[in-house]
């Protein structure tokens, strides 16, 4: 059998595949063998779970020697596995080999258990491993990453929907004008027809056919009244959104200079991928955020140790424990006794052995630790700084290099630690690894069973404090109560500081205890049904009677200004849900350090592995929240991924799902742990569909793509986890802190500007066309234009094109620093709908109707008996078009001046351009014969014309000015107050 390349679409279940370092897996496959003797390999799963750290995967021990084509082709058997699903953190199956397959040893079983650590998942990349063999398990749409993908939907802003609705209303108003005009014209038609031969002969012969007259009327008025619908408004909105997007891209305060390994920096500007939804940024009510790489730098550092009543501050001094052991005293001068030394040796031994990390050498000869958990990397780095260096690890043994001097051979703890440390620069010690009991969200601990060089069997364990403390021995000689009391105080202190804590413990196993455990564990591993539960049960039997060693406190470095950003967004009335693949304790600690949670909150934990259990726990949480309503206590909810899987099960009661949503709505913050990409999208969809609000999702990895696409607004972080999230997002930038500026500055301004231009667009068209309707009462509904034809055509696209566009691009009601200082300014917009509400819409409509009526009737009264020109003759129709057109234009522009919040030279230039163009066009139209000769002179020298152009805008806009002034003085918005404060500050 020869190796040859094939397309992934041609692979089927049961095929053997060969991957080399750097290859991306195209299918889900079972590891058979790798270039490492123990069957281990490293994979990069950034596209799956967002984690940048390499993860260790292993093949079955029985197949480690199957490294060549000749060996691989001898494999025969079948795989028994669960049905394809989207679960990325668990898998149950087994490989059943034929009896004639020769395995590594005669004792090897032909029924080999498989779990998630034996799988290579599609989308992952092989790293630090020369090659690996795999057996295809799932292909195409059945792979786990494809099960987690969600089809993207077209995103339309909420104001676009309102714009469409108001366009429909404008069309209805258009129909009213059309139908009323046609009906009134038909009434006039019969009057003229009856009186034609007597008195109205000068109007011309009316149509003989009623149907012909009706068609003529409908077409005439339809052509005129279509100006009610502001077609140019759509173009203006698109241009303004494009310019708003450019402002976001050019915003230097959202630009990040990322340092590169070669010492240079990479300039990362904010990237607006979809400017269609700019205004929705100003109405966000829910934010759904990833954690790793989004809130954090994913760079964890061990901050503190607690050992035998003493605290060691690693952040202040690297290697503080090593230094204390070498000098015999702590930094504070506290002596280190022999018991503390024994504790410390075992403490560091736990850090160095209880993990699944493989060390690699860098170019400088130093050790690099790649782990699926950044916590593990931090712990091992700290152990190395303190003299315990993990130098080699394979599946069956681990080697530790010790580099500090310790000559005490006393065995105060019975651990025989003296043989491990000698008076020299370093010494390497090999521990045979017998079993590794891995961490999961239920166990909340990890243990390793090793055989020491002296032949003794030890169990070293570390895990969450609440779990580990409950598994300690009750023997006061082994675990003195005073020590445990001090440890509890230290754990409380570390947690209040937002640090992530672990408790370390150990015990010695007799040969009989170990053999009994080995038989039960191997039997549980081969089980196909409920394997994880059976393994957990067996592990729990041996992880008892532990002896306390100490605890660690890890700081997961947040990105700059994350706590301040979250605190500000919460004060803006925005609810933040943290959706992370991390374990519960990690997520809660990050919530505390980022100010998403506080110690004063009542934190509810929702868990359950069955429908009935989840129903029961939902009722308990709901009743608990009701009982504390009177105390004004803030609540937070923490949900496990397994529980979310049950909640989103198709058989889960919809009313209970809504109950879960209502509980989340009543909480200030919600944290969902161990969630899959599809569960992230389901949570967003649940809120978006039922709450009917604007949602925003932010993440940095491929595992966040479904969530980003499900939300109304998707934001990608330009991090170290690929570009999938950035490409799928609507907006992208380098750090989480820029979200505050994007939402509360650019989003608020965009919402205000687009709202204003929409209102102004409908207002100006309604004001102009309604004048035409008023004119119908005195033109016998003949369809005669009250304005000059070119004036009507150019009104939107020329005369009144620039002012609203300038307003939609540059207008701002308050300074940026005021918005960033006072979150109430965002609440006023998003919650109170200050820029778009029923009163605002009605006020614009009433203004349009009043302005049209006032302008028409004023001009009508001036010209009712004919206005006298400079020649002594009365003015005619062409002068009347200017008498009506120019006041309409000046009134609309004055209304624009009252509407805009900022006035600069661009606003002034747009106004001058509009007025100058109108005056010039009167002369130009006469020159080219579009109007009566001499009309320009008649208009230019008419005092009445100038009085109307000056007085009518004042008369029309005086009520608007009075209302605006009254509201600013007696009923001011927060923005009005801030604007006044800025004016006083400038003085």
């Amino acid at each position: 059998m020869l190796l040859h390349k094939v397309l992934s679409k041609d692979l089927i279940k049961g095929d053997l595949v060969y991957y080399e370092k750097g290859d991306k897996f195209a299918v889900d496959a079972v590891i058979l063998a790798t270039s490492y003797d123990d069957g281990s390999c490293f994979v990069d799963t950034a596209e799956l779970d967002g984690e940048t750290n390499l993860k260790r995967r292993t093949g079955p021990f029985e197949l480690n020697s199957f490294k060549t084509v000749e060996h691989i082709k001898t494999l025969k058997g079948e795989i028994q596995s669960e049905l394809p699903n989207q679960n990325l953190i668990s898998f149950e199956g087994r490989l059943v080999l034929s009896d004639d397959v020769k395995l590594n040893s005669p004792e090897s079983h032909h029924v080999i258990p498989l779990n998630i650590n034996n799988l290579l998942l599609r989308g992952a990349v092989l790293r630090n491993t020369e090659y690996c063999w795999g057996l295809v398990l799932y292909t195409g749409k059945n792979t786990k990453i494809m099960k987690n993908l969600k089809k993207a939907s077209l995103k339309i802003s909420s104001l676009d929907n309102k714009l469409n609705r108001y366009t429909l209303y404008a069309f209805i108003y258009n129909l009213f004008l059309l139908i009323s005009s046609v009906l009134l014209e038909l009434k006039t038609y019969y009057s003229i027809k009856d009186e034609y031969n007597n008195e109205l002969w000068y109007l011309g012969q009316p149509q003989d056919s009623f149907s012909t007259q009706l068609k003529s009327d409908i077409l005439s008025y339809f052509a005129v009244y279509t100006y009610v619908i502001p077609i140019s408004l759509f173009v203006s909105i698109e241009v303004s959104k494009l310019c708003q997007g450019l402002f976001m891209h050019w915003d230097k305060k959202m630009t990040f200079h990322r340092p590169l390994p070669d010492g240079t920096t990479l300039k990362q500007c904010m990237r607006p991928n979809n400017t269609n939804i700019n205004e929705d940024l100003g109405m966000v009510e829910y934010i759904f955020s990833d954690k790793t790489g989004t809130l954090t730098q994913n760079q964890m550092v061990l901050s503190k140790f607690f050992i035998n009543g003493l605290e060691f501050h690693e952040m202040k001094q690297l290697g503080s424990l090593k230094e204390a052991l070498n000098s015999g005293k702590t930094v504070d001068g506290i002596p280190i006794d022999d018991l503390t030394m024994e504790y410390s040796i075992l403490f560091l031994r736990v850090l160095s052995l209880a993990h699944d990390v493989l060390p690699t050498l860098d170019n400088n000869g130093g050790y690099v630790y790649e782990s699926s958990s950044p916590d593990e990397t931090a712990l091992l780095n700290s152990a190395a700084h303190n003299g315990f260096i993990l130098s080699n690890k394979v599946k069956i043994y681990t080697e530790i290099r010790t580099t500090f001097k310790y000559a005490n051979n006393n065995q105060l703890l019975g651990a025989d630690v003296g043989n491990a440390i000698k008076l020299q620069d370093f010494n390497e010690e090999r521990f045979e690894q017998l079993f590794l009991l891995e961490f999961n969200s239920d166990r909340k601990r990890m243990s390793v069973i090793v055989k020491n060089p002296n032949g003794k069997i030890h169990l070293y364990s570390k895990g969450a404090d609440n779990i580990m403390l409950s598994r300690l021995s009750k023997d006061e000689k082994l675990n003195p109560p005073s020590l445990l009391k001090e440890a509890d105080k230290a754990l409380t202190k570390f947690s209040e500081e937002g640090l992530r804590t672990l408790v370390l413990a150990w015990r010695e196993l007799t040969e009989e205890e170990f053999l009994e455990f080995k038989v039960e564990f191997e039997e549980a591993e081969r089980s196909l049904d409920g394997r994880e539960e059976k393994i957990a049960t067996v592990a729990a039997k041996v992880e008892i009677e532990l002896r306390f060693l100490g605890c660690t406190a890890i700081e997961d470095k947040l990105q700059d200004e994350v706590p301040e950003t979250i605190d500000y967004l919460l004060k803006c009335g925005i609810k933040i849900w943290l959706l992370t693949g991390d374990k519960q304790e990690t997520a809660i600690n990050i919530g505390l350090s980022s100010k998403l949670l506080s110690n004063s909150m009542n934190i509810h934990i929702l868990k359950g592995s069955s429908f009935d259990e989840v129903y029961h726990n939902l009722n308990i949480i709901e009743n608990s929240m009701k009982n504390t309503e009177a105390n004004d206590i803030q609540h937070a909810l923490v949900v496990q991924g397994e529980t979310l899987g049950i909640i989103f099960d198709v058989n889960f009661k919809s009313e209970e799902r809504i109950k879960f949503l209502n509980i989340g709505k009543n909480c200030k913050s919600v944290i969902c742990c161990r969630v899959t990409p599809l569960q992230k999208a389901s949570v967003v969809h649940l809120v978006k569909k039922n709450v009917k609000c604007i949602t925003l999702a932010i993440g940095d990895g491929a595992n966040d793509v479904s969530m980003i696409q499900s939300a109304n607004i998707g934001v990608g972080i330009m991090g170290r986890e690929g570009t999938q999230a950035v490409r799928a997002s609507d907006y992208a930038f380098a750090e989480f802190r820029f979200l505050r500026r994007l939402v509360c500055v650019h989003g608020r301004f965009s919402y205000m500007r687009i709202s204003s231009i929409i209102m102004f667009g409908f207002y100006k068209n309604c004001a102009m066309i309604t004048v035409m309707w008023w004119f119908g009462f005195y033109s016998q509904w003949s369809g005669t234009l009250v304005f000059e034809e070119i004036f009507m055509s150019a009104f939107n696209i020329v005369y009144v094109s620039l002012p609203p566009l300038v307003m939609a691009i540059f207008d701002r009601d308050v300074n940026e620093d005021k918005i960033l200082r006072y979150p109430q300014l965002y609440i006023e917009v998003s919650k109170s709908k200050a820029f778009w509400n029923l009163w605002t819409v009605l006020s614009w409509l009433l203004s349009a109707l009043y302005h049209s009526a006032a302008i028409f009737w004023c001009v009508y009264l001036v010209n009712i008996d004919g206005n006298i020109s400079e020649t002594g003759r009365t003015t005619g129709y062409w002068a009347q078009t200017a008498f009506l057109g120019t006041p309409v234009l000046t009134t609309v522009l004055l209304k624009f001046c009252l509407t805009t919040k900022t006035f600069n030279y661009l606003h002034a230039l747009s106004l001058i351009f509009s007025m100058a163009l109108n005056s010039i066009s009167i002369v130009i139209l006469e020159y080219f014969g579009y109007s009566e000769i001499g009309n320009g002179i008649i208009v230019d020298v008419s005092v009445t014309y100038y009085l109307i152009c000056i007085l009518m805008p004042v008369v029309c806009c005086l009520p608007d000015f009075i209302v605006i002034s009254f509201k600013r003085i007696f009923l001011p918005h927060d923005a009005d107050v801030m604007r006044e404060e800025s004016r006083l500050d400038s003085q």
Side-chain angles (χ1 to χ4, degrees):
M1 182 176 69
L2 298 177
L3 294 175
H4 60 279
K5 293 184 178 181
V6 296
L7 298 175
S8 60
K9 68 183 182 65
D10 297 325
L11 291 173
I12 60 174
K13 290 177 287 185
D15 283 347
L16 294 172
V17 288
Y18 178 84
Y19 288 103
E20 294 181 338
K21 182 167 63 174
D23 289 344
K24 179 180 286 189
F25 306 124
V27 294
D28 291 349
V30 176
I31 302 173
L32 298 178
T34 71
S35 57
Y36 288 99
D37 292 336
D38 64 349
S40 299
C41 67
F42 292 101
V43 294
D44 178 355
T45 62
E47 292 189 13
L48 293 169
D49 54 19
E51 298 288 345
T52 56
N53 294 307
L54 298 185
K55 294 180 174 57
R56 180 174 176 266
R57 297 289 183 258
T58 59
F61 172 76
E62 294 82 354
L63 303 177
N64 289 350
S65 61
F66 286 70
K67 297 181 180 293
T68 64
V69 174
E70 290 71 21
H71 279 94
I72 287 292
K73 69 180 184 181
T74 63
L75 289 176
K76 297 179 182 178
E78 65 178 19
I79 292 181
Q80 300 173 355
S81 69
E82 60 191 18
L83 293 175
N85 57 68
Q86 72 271 17
N87 195 331
L88 295 173
I89 61 175
S90 68
F91 170 78
E92 290 186 0
R94 59 185 179 184
L95 179 62
V96 182
L97 298 174
S98 301
D99 293 337
D100 57 346
V101 176
K102 296 181 180 180
L103 302 178
N104 289 344
S105 65
E107 298 179 358
S108 299
H109 295 279
H110 282 70
V111 179
I112 302 174
L114 301 174
N115 56 41
I116 193 65
N117 288 325
N118 305 128
L119 291 189
L120 302 171
L121 299 182
R122 177 177 178 177
V125 180
L126 186 65
R127 303 289 189 194
N128 295 358
T129 309
E130 295 302 320
Y131 67 85
C132 74
W133 286 94
L135 181 63
V136 176
L137 179 62
Y138 301 131
T139 62
K141 294 182 178 180
N142 289 330
T143 56
K144 289 184 178 292
I145 188 173
M146 294 301 291
K147 289 287 185 181
N148 277 280
L149 292 183
K150 182 179 181 296
K151 186 177 180 181
S153 58
L154 179 65
K155 293 185 178 181
I156 302 176
S157 77
S158 58
L159 283 190
D160 276 346
N161 292 326
K162 291 181 179 180
L163 176 59
N164 294 335
R165 188 162 64 249
Y166 280 90
T167 301
L168 177 61
Y169 296 157
F171 184 74
I172 294 173
Y173 183 64
N174 182 13
L175 287 179
F176 163 75
L177 297 178
L178 175 63
I179 294 172
S180 62
S181 298
V182 169
L183 293 177
L184 291 170
E185 201 283 334
L186 290 177
K187 178 182 177 183
T188 305
Y189 164 78
Y190 283 111
S191 299
I192 294 175
K193 191 172 184 180
D194 294 340
E195 300 293 333
Y196 172 72
N197 295 323
N198 298 327
E199 300 178 0
L200 303 179
W201 54 269
Y202 58 88
L203 293 179
Q205 177 69 41
Q207 294 284 350
D208 293 331
S209 171
F210 171 79
S211 61
T212 303
Q213 183 67 35
L214 179 62
K215 292 177 183 177
S216 175
D217 295 341
I218 292 175
L219 291 175
S220 297
Y221 284 110
F222 180 80
V224 172
Y225 291 145
T226 50
Y227 286 98
V228 172
I229 300 174
I231 303 300
S232 62
L233 175 61
F234 293 88
V235 179
S236 299
I237 289 176
E238 292 304 316
V239 173
S240 66
K241 287 183 177 180
L242 177 62
C243 293
Q244 291 165 10
L246 289 175
F247 288 152
M248 295 177 188
H249 178 67
W250 294 334
D251 191 344
K252 293 182 179 180
K253 295 181 180 179
M254 296 177 67
T255 300
F256 183 70
H257 296 273
R258 186 179 298 279
L260 299 178
D262 59 1
T264 61
T265 58
L266 174 64
K267 182 179 180 181
Q268 293 180 318
C269 298
M270 188 274 171
R271 188 186 304 175
N273 299 327
N274 179 14
T275 57
N276 289 331
I277 55 176
N278 289 346
E279 58 273 22
D280 278 353
L281 290 167
M283 297 182 289
V284 174
E285 294 186 36
Y286 282 82
I287 291 178
F288 301 90
S289 176
D290 178 40
K291 181 194 75 69
T292 306
T294 302
L295 298 182
T296 69
Q297 300 178 18
N298 205 18
Q299 297 177 354
M300 300 183 190
V301 179
L302 187 61
S303 177
K304 297 177 182 179
F305 293 123
F306 174 85
I307 301 175
N308 196 31
L310 300 177
E311 283 188 23
F312 299 89
H313 296 264
E314 281 291 290
M315 293 287 285
K316 294 181 179 179
Q317 179 186 2
L318 286 177
S320 58
L321 180 57
K322 174 184 176 181
E323 181 66 25
L325 295 177
N326 282 335
S327 63
K329 60 182 179 179
T330 66
V331 176
D332 300 326
I334 301 175
I336 301 295
D337 57 22
D338 290 340
L339 181 61
T340 302
M341 288 187 178
E342 298 285 352
Y343 269 111
S344 300
I345 300 301
L346 287 173
F347 183 93
L348 293 171
R349 192 176 279 180
V350 174
L351 295 183
S352 304
L353 295 174
H355 57 80
D356 59 357
V357 180
L358 292 181
T360 56
L361 288 173
D362 60 17
N363 296 330
N364 299 321
Y367 287 100
V368 177
Y369 303 120
E370 295 286 356
S371 170
S372 59
S373 169
D375 297 67
E376 296 284 16
T377 302
L379 292 173
L380 285 171
N381 284 331
S382 182
H385 287 306
N386 286 282
F388 267 57
I389 301 174
L390 173 66
S391 58
N392 189 20
K393 181 178 176 66
V394 294
K395 194 167 185 178
I396 57 176
Y397 66 84
T398 301
E399 290 182 349
I400 299 175
R401 176 178 295 179
T402 56
T403 60
F404 68 85
K405 300 177 181 180
Y406 172 64
N408 190 295
N409 288 323
N410 293 331
Q411 300 179 24
L412 301 178
L413 300 178
D416 192 14
V417 299
N419 293 333
I421 311 300
K422 296 182 179 178
L423 289 172
Q424 56 187 41
D425 291 337
F426 69 87
N427 180 67
E428 286 194 345
E429 188 174 21
R430 175 178 291 188
F431 294 82
E432 181 182 352
Q433 181 172 304
L434 303 176
F435 286 96
L436 181 66
L437 309 180
E438 296 183 349
F439 176 93
N440 63 43
S441 57
D442 293 324
R443 285 170 37 78
K444 301 178 184 177
R445 61 189 182 276
M446 169 182 277
S447 300
V448 62
I449 300 177
V450 299
K451 179 176 286 188
N452 288 358
N454 57 18
K456 291 186 177 182
I457 300 175
H458 286 182
L459 180 145
Y460 297 120
S461 185
K462 65 183 181 185
D465 50 6
N466 59 329
I467 299 298
M468 294 296 295
L469 293 176
S470 65
R471 309 195 75 80
L472 296 179
S473 172
K474 305 300 181 183
D475 189 341
E476 295 185 359
K477 294 181 180 180
L478 300 179
N479 295 304
S482 58
L483 176 61
L484 297 182
K485 186 176 181 180
E486 290 183 31
D488 184 64
K489 291 181 180 179
L491 289 168
T492 302
K493 176 185 175 184
F494 295 159
S495 298
E496 289 175 351
E497 294 174 0
L499 302 177
R500 305 161 58 151
T501 58
L502 287 175
V503 168
L504 281 63
W506 78 287
R507 66 166 294 197
E508 183 174 337
L509 297 178
T510 65
E511 192 71 27
E512 293 76 15
E513 289 175 325
F514 171 72
L515 291 176
E516 181 183 354
F517 163 79
K518 180 180 179 183
V519 172
E520 293 181 357
F521 189 85
E522 290 179 346
E523 182 180 349
E525 270 194 320
R526 289 191 294 271
S527 175
L528 187 59
D529 297 326
R531 179 192 303 164
E532 290 189 5
E533 290 78 7
K534 293 178 180 178
I535 290 177
T537 301
V538 174
K541 290 182 179 179
V542 74
E543 295 170 322
I544 57 174
E545 295 299 316
L546 300 178
R547 304 175 68 175
F548 177 79
L549 287 175
C551 57
T552 63
I554 296 176
E555 179 182 352
D556 186 2
K557 287 189 176 180
L558 294 172
Q559 295 180 15
D560 293 340
E561 300 180 25
V562 165
E564 294 83 357
T565 301
I566 289 180
D567 184 56
Y568 178 86
L569 293 172
L570 290 173
K571 290 179 180 177
C572 286
I574 299 174
K575 295 189 176 181
I576 301 178
W577 290 32
L578 182 63
L579 310 179
T580 176
D582 285 336
K583 58 183 181 178
Q584 176 181 306
E585 293 76 20
T586 301
I588 291 177
N589 285 330
I590 287 297
L592 290 169
S593 60
S594 65
K595 294 188 178 180
L596 187 60
L597 302 176
S598 66
N599 292 319
S600 62
M601 284 185 180
N602 192 353
I603 301 177
H604 304 277
I605 309 294
L606 176 60
K607 58 174 63 177
S609 55
S610 65
F611 287 176
D612 292 337
E613 188 177 357
V614 174
Y615 296 154
H616 176 69
N617 291 336
L618 281 172
N619 289 329
I620 292 177
I621 294 174
E622 184 181 44
N623 293 331
S624 175
M625 294 177 67
K626 288 180 179 178
N627 294 334
T628 57
E629 284 181 353
N631 299 329
D632 195 25
I633 296 177
Q634 291 181 337
H635 298 274
L637 180 66
V638 179
V639 191
Q640 288 282 0
E642 179 187 11
T643 307
L644 279 178
I646 295 174
I647 291 174
F648 291 113
D649 190 283
V650 292
N651 297 317
F652 194 78
K653 295 179 181 178
S654 58
E655 59 269 20
E656 295 294 331
R657 190 177 296 120
I658 297 301
K659 181 184 293 185
F660 161 72
L661 175 61
N662 291 331
I663 290 174
K665 286 169 57 180
N666 293 325
C667 291
K668 188 172 183 179
S669 303
V670 177
I671 296 178
C672 300
C673 317
R674 291 294 186 187
V675 292
T676 65
L678 190 59
Q679 287 175 343
K680 290 184 178 183
S682 298
V683 171
V684 174
H685 180 72
L686 178 68
V687 175
K688 177 182 172 182
K689 178 182 177 181
N690 294 282
V691 183
K692 308 294 183 184
C693 63
I694 301 298
T695 59
L696 183 148
I698 180 171
D700 69 319
N703 60 319
D704 301 315
V705 169
S706 295
M707 173 180 71
I708 287 172
Q709 293 175 338
S710 295
N712 298 94
I713 305 168
V715 179
I717 297 291
M718 302 173 189
R720 297 181 296 169
E721 300 181 11
T723 60
Q724 289 83 358
V726 173
R727 291 200 304 265
S729 65
D730 302 301
Y731 305 91
F733 42 69
E735 291 200 330
F736 182 83
R737 59 191 169 100
F738 298 144
L739 184 63
R740 170 169 55 174
R741 187 167 180 83
L742 175 68
V743 170
C744 299
V745 176
H746 291 287
R748 187 182 181 279
F749 283 158
S750 295
Y751 181 48
M752 178 194 70
R753 293 163 180 170
I754 298 300
S755 299
S756 298
I757 194 176
I758 290 176
M759 297 293 185
F760 186 78
F762 282 103
Y763 153 78
K764 62 183 176 63
N765 283 32
C766 183
M768 181 192 70
I769 290 302
T770 308
V771 172
M772 182 73 191
W773 189 75
W774 294 117
F775 181 65
F777 288 99
Y778 294 92
S779 65
Q780 296 296 318
W781 299 101
S782 60
T784 303
L785 298 180
V786 72
F787 303 109
E788 202 283 320
E789 185 176 351
I790 293 183
F791 175 87
M792 291 187 66
S793 301
F795 183 76
N796 284 312
I797 62 176
V798 178
Y799 298 133
V800 199
S801 59
L802 288 183
L805 192 58
V806 170
M807 177 174 63
I809 297 175
F810 298 103
D811 198 21
R812 54 177 64 193
D813 57 341
V814 291
N815 294 334
E816 294 177 3
D817 61 326
K818 298 293 184 183
I819 300 175
L820 296 175
R821 191 185 308 171
Y822 301 106
Q824 295 82 358
L825 291 171
Y826 187 83
I827 297 177
E828 185 178 53
V829 174
S830 61
K831 301 293 185 183
S832 304
K833 312 298 181 186
F835 299 130
W836 193 297
N837 52 56
L838 181 60
W839 163 248
T840 303
V841 174
L842 290 177
S843 64
W844 280 95
L845 177 60
L846 293 174
S847 292
L849 296 177
Y850 167 67
H851 294 175
S852 66
I855 292 172
F856 174 78
W857 291 106
C858 177
V859 175
Y860 169 76
L861 293 174
V862 169
N863 287 282
I864 189 171
D865 293 323
N867 185 43
I868 305 300
S869 68
E870 86 288 352
T871 62
R873 299 178 182 180
T874 57
T875 56
Y877 168 77
W878 292 106
Q880 175 188 283
T881 60
F883 272 63
L884 282 168
T886 304
V888 167
L889 177 60
T890 53
T891 300
V892 167
L893 294 179
L894 183 57
K895 177 70 172 177
F896 158 78
C897 294
L898 292 176
T899 301
T900 187
K901 311 297 189 305
T902 304
F903 202 87
N904 55 37
Y905 71 95
L906 291 174
H907 292 76
L909 289 176
S910 67
L911 292 173
I912 294 172
F913 172 80
S914 298
M915 291 302 302
L917 193 61
N918 176 67
S919 300
I920 295 172
S921 64
I922 295 176
V923 179
I924 293 176
L925 292 176
E926 179 188 342
Y927 178 80
F928 285 101
Y930 283 97
S931 63
E932 186 179 44
I933 297 176
N935 182 63
I937 297 176
I938 293 173
V939 172
D940 288 341
V941 301
S942 174
V943 176
T944 306
Y945 171 76
Y946 291 107
L947 286 175
I948 292 175
C949 291
I950 295 173
L951 295 178
M952 282 316 304
V954 175
V955 172
C956 290
C957 294
L958 183 60
D960 299 272
F961 177 77
I962 293 173
V963 171
I964 292 173
S965 300
F966 179 83
K967 290 174 63 177
R968 288 183 179 177
I969 295 173
F970 299 104
L971 301 171
H973 291 301
D974 292 335
D976 297 325
V977 177
M978 292 298 102
R979 202 157 48 243
E980 185 66 24
E981 182 180 290
S982 298
R983 190 178 297 111
L984 294 175
D985 292 342
S986 63
Q987 295 176 357

